[in-house]
Amino acid sequence: MDRRSGIAIGALSRRTGCHVETIRYYERIGLLPAPARRGRYRLYGAADVARLAFVRRARELGFTLEEVRALLALAAEGEGACAEARELAAAHLADVRARIADLRAMEAALAEAVRRCDAGEAPGCPLIGALSGRAAPA
Amino acid sequence: MDRRSGIAIGALSRRTGCHVETIRYYERIGLLPAPARRGRYRLYGAADVARLAFVRRARELGFTLEEVRALLALAAEGEGACAEARELAAAHLADVRARIADLRAMEAALAEAVRRCDAGEAPGCPLIGALSGRAAPA
DNA sequence: GCTTGAGTCTGTAGTCGCTACAGACGGTAG
DNA sequence: CTACCGTCTGTAGCGACTACAGACTCAAGC
């Protein structure tokens, strides 16, 4: 299957948990280098596995593909790049926190609406009422 | 400006905080009905303002446009639809909570990485190290 | 040898919720 | 009458995939 030279895209997919189509997509946008080929088939080595795993972990932390691109470049630079990486992460962290705050506001409003639905207090549906602009009674 | 018959799209935009292009987009996808016209210009009445405000509030709660469509239909039905609206909201609430959980995991990992960067403990960048798959020391 | 089935290939189009034009037309103030 | 803003239609772009269609390659079983 991999006569000493590497693994096929399906094996890489299984190893990294990244869909085959997504791997090809990453290659197309230049996030992954064009790999070696055996015939028409892509052939991946250890460095490719590591790079894709890096991308996957960064994506799991919510970095955008452009940020991942920057992180990959910084990782290639080695030392020195730490301060820049820290900046990227800190900016992204602020973004994540803002999104959490937004979602928490949604959560509170939704939970309240559902609670009032369950209580069955007001005439009419409290959820639809709230969306229609009728303020909730205290 | 609005000789008794309604307001223009720009005024509707200002009143609802919804971009002009977005209003036209909502119309195109059938979320808003095609409004009356004065000449070539769209002309909106009170019902249009209310409907768009409803959409805006639902979007602020994070409902998808398809969910908003369903909510609008339920609102039009009046009573009886409350149980269904509740179901929609409860499902969406679960979704929001799942997203919050995801983001919190990201937040924790990012905050930890930034903290370890600041501590400057390990050799090399801890953030890049973590992305590269080198587990953080306890 | 021949077939079958899984895997892979390229290329294109769809998703969601907008956003950003281009290029033409309408209405009003100076 | 001209300048300028608002509005019109239509199309294309964004991010990050996802989902095909239709062709090919390869290894295994009969």
Side-chain angles (χ1 to χ4, degrees):
Chain A
M1 190 181 282
D2 62 330
R3 53 181 68 185
R4 109 161 91 293
S5 42
I7 60 175
I9 198 168
L12 178 61
S13 169
R14 263 167 265 126
R15 195 163 296 191
T16 58
C18 195
H19 290 169
V20 166
E21 297 90 339
T22 305
I23 297 171
R24 284 196 286 248
Y25 169 69
Y26 286 167
E27 180 186 333
R28 200 161 62 242
I29 64 169
L31 201 63
L32 300 180
R37 301 249 171 173
R38 176 168 52 225
R40 295 161 48 91
Y41 288 17
R42 289 170 180 83
L43 211 58
Y44 297 94
D48 297 305
V49 176
R51 190 176 174 96
L52 181 52
F54 184 105
V55 171
R56 275 281 291 180
R57 277 186 288 261
R59 290 290 301 133
E60 269 162 24
L61 290 181
F63 287 103
T64 66
L65 290 182
E66 281 317 299
E67 286 166 338
V68 175
R69 210 186 283 274
L71 286 168
L72 281 166
L74 292 174
E77 271 181 51
E79 304 295 318
C82 186
E84 275 178 83
R86 202 213 87 106
E87 276 318 292
L88 253 174
H92 178 54
L93 176 55
D95 194 70
V96 166
R97 284 183 169 147
R99 277 152 64 200
I100 290 174
D102 282 356
L103 285 170
R104 290 243 270 224
M106 287 180 203
E107 185 200 8
L110 285 165
E112 168 68 5
V114 169
R115 194 197 58 70
R116 297 209 297 128
C117 269
D118 289 340
E121 52 195 43
C125 180
L127 172 61
I128 288 174
L131 290 172
S132 300
R134 294 190 283 283
Chain B
M1 191 180 283
D2 61 328
R3 51 181 68 187
R4 112 160 90 290
S5 41
I7 61 175
I9 199 169
L12 178 61
S13 170
R14 262 166 266 128
R15 196 164 296 190
T16 58
C18 195
H19 290 169
V20 165
E21 297 90 340
T22 305
I23 298 172
R24 284 196 286 248
Y25 168 70
Y26 286 166
E27 179 186 333
R28 200 160 62 242
I29 65 169
L31 200 63
L32 300 180
R37 300 248 173 173
R38 176 166 53 226
R40 294 162 47 91
Y41 287 17
R42 289 169 179 83
L43 211 58
Y44 297 94
D48 296 305
V49 175
R51 190 175 174 97
L52 180 52
F54 184 105
V55 171
R56 276 280 291 178
R57 278 186 288 261
R59 290 291 298 134
E60 269 160 24
L61 291 182
F63 287 104
T64 66
L65 289 182
E66 282 317 299
E67 286 167 338
V68 174
R69 210 185 283 275
L71 286 168
L72 280 165
L74 292 173
E77 271 181 52
E79 306 296 317
C82 186
E84 274 178 84
R86 203 213 87 104
E87 276 318 292
L88 253 174
H92 178 53
L93 176 54
D95 194 70
V96 166
R97 283 182 170 147
R99 276 151 67 201
I100 290 175
D102 282 355
L103 285 170
R104 290 242 271 222
M106 288 181 203
E107 185 200 9
L110 285 165
E112 169 67 4
V114 169
R115 193 196 60 68
R116 296 208 300 127
C117 269
D118 289 342
E121 54 196 42
C125 181
L127 172 60
I128 288 174
L131 289 172
S132 300
R134 295 190 284 283

